[in-house]
Amino acid sequence: MLEQTINAFDNLCREILATHGGVLTWKWDPRFESLLIEFTQETVESVRGVLDKHLNYVWEKSSLNQAPEAVQDFGERLGGLMSNQLLFASDTDNGTRIFCAWWPWADQNTISIRLAPDYSIFDDPAKSGLIDQTKKMFGI
């Protein structure tokens, strides 16, 4: 499950960047231990298309309580969801555990996403190694 999650996470991140020809840049969000990218409405459809392709489930505030436990736990780590925020998730039963928080901004033009594997499946050294590897891969 670990290797499968790492590979799926890497592929998803790289595909998001590839669809935008270097216009988007990953940042590191230490608060949520996740990759962070911000984009405008012009990019919404293409980013959403990649997420829909890789992450089979989308949850919102009203449905999160019906999500699998791992998804609910990730939502709690984010502080819950507000209106218009979404939580994308891979199929947690298929061997990968990847989550993406979709957060529209108040300006109604900018959206940020935070993308991370489910670190709870890693022991501390593996988690630290994955974070370091991720930062290095994406030049953070």
Side-chain angles (χ1 to χ4, degrees):
M1 182 184 312
L2 296 177
E3 192 65 32
Q4 188 173 350
T5 294
I6 291 167
N7 290 336
F9 179 66
D10 180 55
N11 290 337
L12 172 56
C13 294
R14 290 184 187 281
E15 187 169 339
I16 289 171
L17 290 181
T19 61
H20 301 289
V23 175
L24 300 176
T25 304
W26 289 114
K27 301 174 191 173
W28 184 252
D29 183 345
R31 180 176 175 202
F32 298 110
E33 297 181 311
S34 63
L35 287 172
L36 165 66
I37 203 164
E38 299 164 356
F39 51 93
T40 60
Q41 289 294 330
E42 294 82 31
T43 313
V44 165
E45 285 187 38
S46 56
V47 171
R48 178 73 193 250
V50 174
L51 293 175
D52 287 338
K53 178 180 167 185
H54 290 269
L55 303 176
N56 309 74
Y57 299 96
V58 182
W59 305 94
E60 55 187 23
K61 182 179 181 177
S62 64
S63 63
L64 189 57
N65 63 343
Q66 300 165 15
E69 187 175 339
V71 177
Q72 289 183 44
D73 289 347
F74 192 81
E76 287 177 23
R77 286 194 297 268
L78 295 171
L81 295 178
M82 298 173 69
S83 297
N84 298 323
Q85 293 181 336
L86 302 173
L87 180 56
F88 291 79
S90 60
D91 182 351
T92 57
D93 293 331
N94 79 356
T96 61
R97 288 192 175 195
I98 302 170
F99 304 109
C100 178
W102 177 279
W103 292 351
W105 290 18
D107 69 9
Q108 298 187 8
N109 184 50
T110 307
I111 296 171
S112 62
I113 61 172
R114 284 161 177 80
L115 189 62
D118 182 0
Y119 292 117
S120 71
I121 63 174
F122 299 91
D123 61 21
D124 286 340
K127 175 184 170 183
S128 295
L130 177 58
I131 288 172
D132 291 344
Q133 176 184 344
T134 298
K135 288 179 178 179
K136 185 177 179 180
M137 279 190 301
F138 294 99
I140 300 172

